[in-house]
Short mmCIF file of all heavy atoms in Angstrom, two decimals:
data_model
loop_
_atom_site.label_atom_id
_atom_site.label_comp_id
_atom_site.label_asym_id
_atom_site.label_seq_id
_atom_site.Cartn_x
_atom_site.Cartn_y
_atom_site.Cartn_z
N MET A 1 94.03 71.95 92.49
CA MET A 1 93.63 71.56 93.81
C MET A 1 94.57 72.09 94.88
O MET A 1 94.17 72.29 96.00
CB MET A 1 93.57 70.04 93.90
CG MET A 1 92.34 69.48 93.30
SD MET A 1 92.06 67.91 94.05
CE MET A 1 90.95 67.23 92.89
N SER A 2 95.82 72.30 94.54
CA SER A 2 96.76 72.81 95.53
C SER A 2 96.42 74.24 95.92
O SER A 2 96.73 74.68 97.01
CB SER A 2 98.19 72.73 95.01
OG SER A 2 98.31 73.54 93.85
N ASP A 3 95.75 75.01 95.04
CA ASP A 3 95.32 76.36 95.38
C ASP A 3 94.28 76.35 96.49
O ASP A 3 94.29 77.17 97.38
CB ASP A 3 94.75 77.09 94.17
CG ASP A 3 95.86 77.65 93.29
OD1 ASP A 3 96.98 77.83 93.81
OD2 ASP A 3 95.60 77.91 92.10
N LYS A 4 93.35 75.39 96.43
CA LYS A 4 92.31 75.31 97.46
C LYS A 4 92.91 74.99 98.82
O LYS A 4 92.50 75.53 99.83
CB LYS A 4 91.27 74.26 97.10
CG LYS A 4 90.28 74.73 96.08
CD LYS A 4 89.18 73.72 95.93
CE LYS A 4 88.07 74.28 95.07
NZ LYS A 4 86.93 73.40 95.02
N SER A 5 93.89 74.10 98.87
CA SER A 5 94.49 73.76 100.16
C SER A 5 95.27 74.94 100.73
O SER A 5 95.33 75.12 101.94
CB SER A 5 95.38 72.53 100.02
OG SER A 5 96.47 72.82 99.17
N ALA A 6 95.84 75.77 99.89
CA ALA A 6 96.57 76.94 100.36
C ALA A 6 95.61 77.99 100.92
O ALA A 6 95.93 78.70 101.87
CB ALA A 6 97.40 77.54 99.24
N HIS A 7 94.40 78.08 100.33
CA HIS A 7 93.43 79.06 100.80
C HIS A 7 92.67 78.61 102.04
O HIS A 7 92.06 79.41 102.71
CB HIS A 7 92.43 79.41 99.70
CG HIS A 7 93.06 80.19 98.57
ND1 HIS A 7 93.62 81.43 98.78
CD2 HIS A 7 93.23 79.91 97.27
CE1 HIS A 7 94.09 81.87 97.63
NE2 HIS A 7 93.88 80.96 96.69
N SER A 8 92.72 77.31 102.35
CA SER A 8 92.01 76.82 103.53
C SER A 8 92.79 77.09 104.82
O SER A 8 92.26 76.92 105.90
CB SER A 8 91.73 75.32 103.39
OG SER A 8 92.95 74.60 103.39
N VAL A 9 94.06 77.50 104.69
CA VAL A 9 94.85 77.82 105.88
C VAL A 9 94.33 79.13 106.46
O VAL A 9 94.12 80.10 105.72
CB VAL A 9 96.35 77.96 105.50
CG1 VAL A 9 97.18 78.38 106.68
CG2 VAL A 9 96.85 76.66 104.89
N PRO A 10 94.09 79.19 107.79
CA PRO A 10 93.60 80.44 108.38
C PRO A 10 94.61 81.58 108.21
O PRO A 10 95.81 81.37 108.34
CB PRO A 10 93.39 80.11 109.85
CG PRO A 10 93.87 78.74 110.06
CD PRO A 10 94.19 78.12 108.75
N VAL A 11 94.09 82.74 107.91
CA VAL A 11 94.94 83.91 107.67
C VAL A 11 95.23 84.57 109.01
O VAL A 11 94.32 84.90 109.76
CB VAL A 11 94.25 84.90 106.72
CG1 VAL A 11 95.11 86.14 106.53
CG2 VAL A 11 93.97 84.23 105.39
N THR A 12 96.49 84.73 109.31
CA THR A 12 96.89 85.42 110.55
C THR A 12 97.24 86.86 110.24
O THR A 12 97.23 87.29 109.09
CB THR A 12 98.09 84.71 111.19
OG1 THR A 12 99.20 84.81 110.30
CG2 THR A 12 97.79 83.26 111.49
N GLY A 13 97.56 87.61 111.25
CA GLY A 13 97.92 89.02 111.07
C GLY A 13 99.17 89.21 110.24
O GLY A 13 99.32 90.20 109.55
N GLU A 14 100.08 88.24 110.30
CA GLU A 14 101.33 88.38 109.55
C GLU A 14 101.09 88.32 108.05
O GLU A 14 101.64 89.10 107.30
CB GLU A 14 102.33 87.31 109.97
CG GLU A 14 102.89 87.54 111.36
CD GLU A 14 103.93 86.51 111.73
OE1 GLU A 14 104.17 85.59 110.93
OE2 GLU A 14 104.48 86.63 112.82
N GLU A 15 100.24 87.37 107.61
CA GLU A 15 99.97 87.28 106.18
C GLU A 15 99.11 88.45 105.70
O GLU A 15 99.27 88.94 104.60
CB GLU A 15 99.25 85.97 105.84
CG GLU A 15 100.15 84.77 105.86
CD GLU A 15 100.10 84.04 107.19
OE1 GLU A 15 99.26 84.42 108.03
OE2 GLU A 15 100.90 83.12 107.38
N ARG A 16 98.20 88.90 106.57
CA ARG A 16 97.27 89.95 106.16
C ARG A 16 97.95 91.32 106.09
O ARG A 16 97.72 92.09 105.19
CB ARG A 16 96.08 90.00 107.12
CG ARG A 16 95.01 90.98 106.71
CD ARG A 16 93.82 90.92 107.64
NE ARG A 16 94.23 91.24 109.00
CZ ARG A 16 94.03 90.46 110.05
NH1 ARG A 16 93.42 89.31 109.93
NH2 ARG A 16 94.43 90.82 111.25
N GLY A 17 98.83 91.61 107.06
CA GLY A 17 99.39 92.95 107.13
C GLY A 17 100.88 93.02 106.91
O GLY A 17 101.51 93.98 107.31
N GLU A 18 101.46 92.02 106.29
CA GLU A 18 102.90 91.98 106.05
C GLU A 18 103.70 92.22 107.33
O GLU A 18 104.64 93.03 107.36
CB GLU A 18 103.32 93.00 104.97
CG GLU A 18 102.85 92.65 103.58
CD GLU A 18 101.50 93.26 103.26
OE1 GLU A 18 101.17 94.29 103.82
OE2 GLU A 18 100.77 92.66 102.44
N GLY A 19 103.31 91.57 108.44
CA GLY A 19 104.06 91.68 109.68
C GLY A 19 103.64 92.84 110.57
O GLY A 19 104.20 93.02 111.63
N LYS A 20 102.67 93.62 110.16
CA LYS A 20 102.22 94.75 110.97
C LYS A 20 101.19 94.28 112.00
O LYS A 20 100.56 93.25 111.83
CB LYS A 20 101.59 95.83 110.10
CG LYS A 20 102.55 96.45 109.12
CD LYS A 20 101.86 97.50 108.30
CE LYS A 20 102.82 98.09 107.28
NZ LYS A 20 102.16 99.04 106.41
N PHE A 21 101.03 95.06 113.08
CA PHE A 21 100.02 94.74 114.08
C PHE A 21 98.64 95.07 113.53
O PHE A 21 98.49 95.99 112.73
CB PHE A 21 100.24 95.58 115.35
CG PHE A 21 101.44 95.16 116.13
CD1 PHE A 21 102.56 95.96 116.18
CD2 PHE A 21 101.44 93.98 116.84
CE1 PHE A 21 103.67 95.59 116.91
CE2 PHE A 21 102.54 93.59 117.57
CZ PHE A 21 103.66 94.39 117.61
N PRO A 22 97.61 94.35 113.98
CA PRO A 22 96.24 94.71 113.58
C PRO A 22 95.88 96.10 114.10
O PRO A 22 96.37 96.52 115.15
CB PRO A 22 95.38 93.65 114.27
CG PRO A 22 96.30 92.52 114.55
CD PRO A 22 97.66 93.11 114.73
N LYS A 23 95.06 96.81 113.34
CA LYS A 23 94.74 98.20 113.67
C LYS A 23 94.07 98.33 115.04
O LYS A 23 94.39 99.24 115.80
CB LYS A 23 93.83 98.79 112.58
CG LYS A 23 93.61 100.27 112.74
CD LYS A 23 92.79 100.81 111.59
CE LYS A 23 92.57 102.30 111.74
NZ LYS A 23 91.75 102.85 110.69
N GLY A 24 93.16 97.41 115.38
CA GLY A 24 92.48 97.46 116.67
C GLY A 24 93.44 97.29 117.83
O GLY A 24 93.30 97.94 118.86
N LEU A 25 94.44 96.42 117.66
CA LEU A 25 95.42 96.21 118.72
C LEU A 25 96.26 97.46 118.94
O LEU A 25 96.55 97.83 120.07
CB LEU A 25 96.31 95.02 118.37
CG LEU A 25 97.41 94.69 119.36
CD1 LEU A 25 96.82 94.28 120.70
CD2 LEU A 25 98.29 93.58 118.81
N VAL A 26 96.64 98.12 117.87
CA VAL A 26 97.45 99.33 117.97
C VAL A 26 96.66 100.42 118.69
O VAL A 26 97.18 101.10 119.58
CB VAL A 26 97.91 99.81 116.57
CG1 VAL A 26 98.58 101.16 116.66
CG2 VAL A 26 98.85 98.79 115.96
N LEU A 27 95.38 100.59 118.32
CA LEU A 27 94.56 101.62 118.97
C LEU A 27 94.35 101.32 120.44
O LEU A 27 94.42 102.22 121.28
CB LEU A 27 93.21 101.72 118.26
CG LEU A 27 93.24 102.30 116.85
CD1 LEU A 27 91.87 102.23 116.21
CD2 LEU A 27 93.75 103.72 116.88
N ARG A 28 94.11 100.05 120.78
CA ARG A 28 93.91 99.67 122.17
C ARG A 28 95.19 99.87 122.97
O ARG A 28 95.16 100.37 124.09
CB ARG A 28 93.47 98.21 122.23
CG ARG A 28 92.75 97.86 123.50
CD ARG A 28 92.21 96.45 123.50
NE ARG A 28 91.93 95.94 122.16
CZ ARG A 28 92.20 94.71 121.77
NH1 ARG A 28 92.71 93.84 122.59
NH2 ARG A 28 91.91 94.34 120.54
N LEU A 29 96.33 99.50 122.41
CA LEU A 29 97.61 99.68 123.08
C LEU A 29 97.88 101.16 123.31
O LEU A 29 98.32 101.57 124.39
CB LEU A 29 98.73 99.06 122.24
CG LEU A 29 100.15 99.16 122.80
CD1 LEU A 29 100.25 98.41 124.12
CD2 LEU A 29 101.13 98.58 121.81
N PHE A 30 97.62 102.00 122.30
CA PHE A 30 97.81 103.43 122.43
C PHE A 30 96.91 104.01 123.52
O PHE A 30 97.35 104.81 124.35
CB PHE A 30 97.52 104.12 121.08
CG PHE A 30 97.78 105.59 121.08
CD1 PHE A 30 99.06 106.07 121.13
CD2 PHE A 30 96.73 106.48 121.03
CE1 PHE A 30 99.31 107.43 121.13
CE2 PHE A 30 96.96 107.84 121.03
CZ PHE A 30 98.25 108.32 121.07
N ALA A 31 95.65 103.57 123.55
CA ALA A 31 94.71 104.06 124.57
C ALA A 31 95.16 103.64 125.97
O ALA A 31 95.10 104.43 126.92
CB ALA A 31 93.31 103.55 124.28
N TYR A 32 95.62 102.40 126.12
CA TYR A 32 96.09 101.94 127.42
C TYR A 32 97.34 102.70 127.86
O TYR A 32 97.50 103.01 129.04
CB TYR A 32 96.39 100.45 127.39
CG TYR A 32 95.17 99.56 127.35
CD1 TYR A 32 95.24 98.27 126.85
CD2 TYR A 32 93.93 100.00 127.82
CE1 TYR A 32 94.13 97.45 126.81
CE2 TYR A 32 92.82 99.19 127.79
CZ TYR A 32 92.92 97.92 127.29
OH TYR A 32 91.82 97.11 127.25
N LEU A 33 98.23 102.99 126.94
CA LEU A 33 99.43 103.76 127.29
C LEU A 33 99.06 105.17 127.74
O LEU A 33 99.59 105.67 128.73
CB LEU A 33 100.39 103.82 126.09
CG LEU A 33 101.17 102.55 125.81
CD1 LEU A 33 101.95 102.70 124.51
CD2 LEU A 33 102.11 102.24 126.95
N ILE A 34 98.16 105.83 127.02
CA ILE A 34 97.73 107.17 127.40
C ILE A 34 97.03 107.14 128.76
O ILE A 34 97.34 107.94 129.64
CB ILE A 34 96.80 107.76 126.32
CG1 ILE A 34 97.56 107.96 125.01
CG2 ILE A 34 96.19 109.07 126.78
CD1 ILE A 34 98.71 108.93 125.09
N ALA A 35 96.11 106.20 128.95
CA ALA A 35 95.39 106.10 130.22
C ALA A 35 96.34 105.77 131.36
O ALA A 35 96.22 106.34 132.46
CB ALA A 35 94.29 105.04 130.12
N GLY A 36 97.29 104.90 131.13
CA GLY A 36 98.27 104.55 132.16
C GLY A 36 99.13 105.72 132.56
O GLY A 36 99.41 105.94 133.75
N HIS A 37 99.56 106.52 131.59
CA HIS A 37 100.38 107.69 131.90
C HIS A 37 99.56 108.77 132.62
O HIS A 37 100.07 109.45 133.51
CB HIS A 37 101.00 108.26 130.62
CG HIS A 37 102.21 107.50 130.19
ND1 HIS A 37 102.13 106.38 129.40
CD2 HIS A 37 103.52 107.69 130.45
CE1 HIS A 37 103.35 105.93 129.19
NE2 HIS A 37 104.21 106.70 129.82
N LEU A 38 98.31 108.94 132.22
CA LEU A 38 97.45 109.89 132.92
C LEU A 38 97.23 109.47 134.37
O LEU A 38 97.29 110.29 135.29
CB LEU A 38 96.11 110.05 132.20
CG LEU A 38 96.14 110.82 130.90
CD1 LEU A 38 94.78 110.76 130.21
CD2 LEU A 38 96.57 112.25 131.12
N PHE A 39 96.99 108.19 134.60
CA PHE A 39 96.79 107.68 135.95
C PHE A 39 98.07 107.83 136.78
O PHE A 39 98.02 108.24 137.95
CB PHE A 39 96.35 106.21 135.89
CG PHE A 39 96.04 105.63 137.23
CD1 PHE A 39 94.96 106.08 137.97
CD2 PHE A 39 96.84 104.62 137.75
CE1 PHE A 39 94.67 105.53 139.22
CE2 PHE A 39 96.56 104.07 138.99
CZ PHE A 39 95.48 104.53 139.72
N ALA A 40 99.22 107.52 136.19
CA ALA A 40 100.49 107.67 136.90
C ALA A 40 100.75 109.14 137.22
O ALA A 40 101.23 109.47 138.32
CB ALA A 40 101.63 107.10 136.06
N GLY A 41 100.43 110.03 136.29
CA GLY A 41 100.59 111.46 136.55
C GLY A 41 99.67 111.95 137.66
O GLY A 41 100.06 112.78 138.49
N PHE A 42 98.46 111.43 137.71
CA PHE A 42 97.51 111.79 138.76
C PHE A 42 98.03 111.33 140.12
O PHE A 42 97.99 112.08 141.10
CB PHE A 42 96.15 111.17 138.45
CG PHE A 42 95.12 111.42 139.52
CD1 PHE A 42 94.63 112.69 139.74
CD2 PHE A 42 94.66 110.37 140.29
CE1 PHE A 42 93.67 112.92 140.72
CE2 PHE A 42 93.71 110.59 141.27
CZ PHE A 42 93.22 111.87 141.49
N LEU A 43 98.54 110.09 140.19
CA LEU A 43 99.10 109.60 141.45
C LEU A 43 100.31 110.42 141.87
O LEU A 43 100.48 110.74 143.05
CB LEU A 43 99.48 108.12 141.32
CG LEU A 43 98.33 107.13 141.28
CD1 LEU A 43 98.86 105.71 141.12
CD2 LEU A 43 97.48 107.23 142.53
N TYR A 44 101.16 110.76 140.92
CA TYR A 44 102.33 111.58 141.21
C TYR A 44 101.90 112.94 141.77
O TYR A 44 102.46 113.43 142.75
CB TYR A 44 103.16 111.76 139.93
CG TYR A 44 104.37 112.63 140.12
CD1 TYR A 44 105.51 112.13 140.74
CD2 TYR A 44 104.39 113.94 139.65
CE1 TYR A 44 106.63 112.93 140.91
CE2 TYR A 44 105.51 114.75 139.81
CZ TYR A 44 106.62 114.23 140.45
OH TYR A 44 107.71 115.02 140.61
N LEU A 45 100.90 113.55 141.17
CA LEU A 45 100.39 114.82 141.64
C LEU A 45 99.83 114.70 143.06
O LEU A 45 100.08 115.56 143.91
CB LEU A 45 99.31 115.34 140.69
CG LEU A 45 98.69 116.70 141.01
CD1 LEU A 45 99.73 117.79 140.88
CD2 LEU A 45 97.51 116.96 140.11
N LEU A 46 99.09 113.63 143.33
CA LEU A 46 98.56 113.42 144.67
C LEU A 46 99.66 113.30 145.71
O LEU A 46 99.60 113.89 146.79
CB LEU A 46 97.68 112.16 144.70
CG LEU A 46 96.30 112.26 144.11
CD1 LEU A 46 95.60 110.91 144.22
CD2 LEU A 46 95.48 113.32 144.82
N PHE A 47 100.70 112.53 145.40
CA PHE A 47 101.80 112.37 146.34
C PHE A 47 102.60 113.66 146.51
O PHE A 47 103.03 113.98 147.63
CB PHE A 47 102.73 111.23 145.90
CG PHE A 47 102.23 109.88 146.31
CD1 PHE A 47 101.55 109.08 145.42
CD2 PHE A 47 102.45 109.41 147.59
CE1 PHE A 47 101.09 107.84 145.80
CE2 PHE A 47 102.01 108.15 147.99
CZ PHE A 47 101.31 107.37 147.09
N MET A 48 102.76 114.42 145.45
CA MET A 48 103.49 115.70 145.58
C MET A 48 102.71 116.68 146.43
O MET A 48 103.26 117.35 147.29
CB MET A 48 103.76 116.29 144.18
CG MET A 48 104.78 115.50 143.38
SD MET A 48 106.36 115.31 144.18
CE MET A 48 106.95 116.98 144.13
N LEU A 49 101.40 116.79 146.18
CA LEU A 49 100.58 117.70 146.98
C LEU A 49 100.46 117.22 148.42
O LEU A 49 100.45 118.03 149.36
CB LEU A 49 99.19 117.84 146.34
CG LEU A 49 99.17 118.58 145.01
CD1 LEU A 49 97.75 118.55 144.42
CD2 LEU A 49 99.66 120.00 145.15
N GLY A 50 100.34 115.93 148.64
CA GLY A 50 100.26 115.37 149.98
C GLY A 50 101.56 115.57 150.75
O GLY A 50 101.55 115.81 151.95
N GLY A 51 102.69 115.50 150.07
CA GLY A 51 103.99 115.71 150.72
C GLY A 51 104.22 117.15 151.12
O GLY A 51 104.95 117.43 152.08
N GLN A 52 103.63 118.09 150.42
CA GLN A 52 103.81 119.49 150.75
C GLN A 52 103.04 119.88 152.01
O GLN A 52 103.39 120.85 152.68
CB GLN A 52 103.34 120.37 149.60
CG GLN A 52 104.27 120.33 148.39
CD GLN A 52 103.75 121.17 147.25
OE1 GLN A 52 102.68 121.76 147.34
NE2 GLN A 52 104.51 121.21 146.16
N ASN A 53 101.99 119.16 152.33
CA ASN A 53 101.15 119.50 153.48
C ASN A 53 101.77 119.05 154.80
O ASN A 53 101.27 119.40 155.85
CB ASN A 53 99.75 118.90 153.34
CG ASN A 53 98.96 119.59 152.25
OD1 ASN A 53 99.24 120.73 151.90
ND2 ASN A 53 98.00 118.88 151.69
N GLN A 54 102.81 118.27 154.79
CA GLN A 54 103.41 117.79 156.03
C GLN A 54 104.56 118.63 156.49
O GLN A 54 105.32 119.18 155.80
CB GLN A 54 103.85 116.34 155.87
CG GLN A 54 102.67 115.40 155.72
CD GLN A 54 103.11 113.96 155.59
OE1 GLN A 54 104.30 113.66 155.57
NE2 GLN A 54 102.16 113.06 155.48
#
């Protein structure tokens, strides 16, 4: 009976992946980092080009 009570505990990411992040979270974080850097680079380019025109 003690086995059943141990299996009724909800499984979190730590038990499932030995402390690793879930795959979907890693992909989403990577995509946000890439998109954030692209957006920051675009803003930097706009300010550099705008500064040259003055």
Side-chain angles (χ1 to χ4, degrees):
M1 281 204 197
S2 62
D3 279 339
K4 281 188 171 186
S5 64
H7 291 298
S8 66
V9 176
V11 178
T12 64
E14 289 183 357
E15 285 96 6
R16 185 176 60 235
E18 290 92 27
K20 296 180 182 176
F21 288 109
K23 188 176 180 182
L25 179 64
V26 172
L27 291 175
R28 202 175 333 140
L29 180 62
F30 184 71
Y32 287 156
L33 284 173
I34 295 298
H37 280 86
L38 287 174
F39 184 67
F42 177 68
L43 287 179
Y44 178 77
L45 182 66
L46 284 179
F47 278 99
M48 290 304 291
L49 291 175
Q52 288 178 358
N53 289 337
Q54 292 181 358

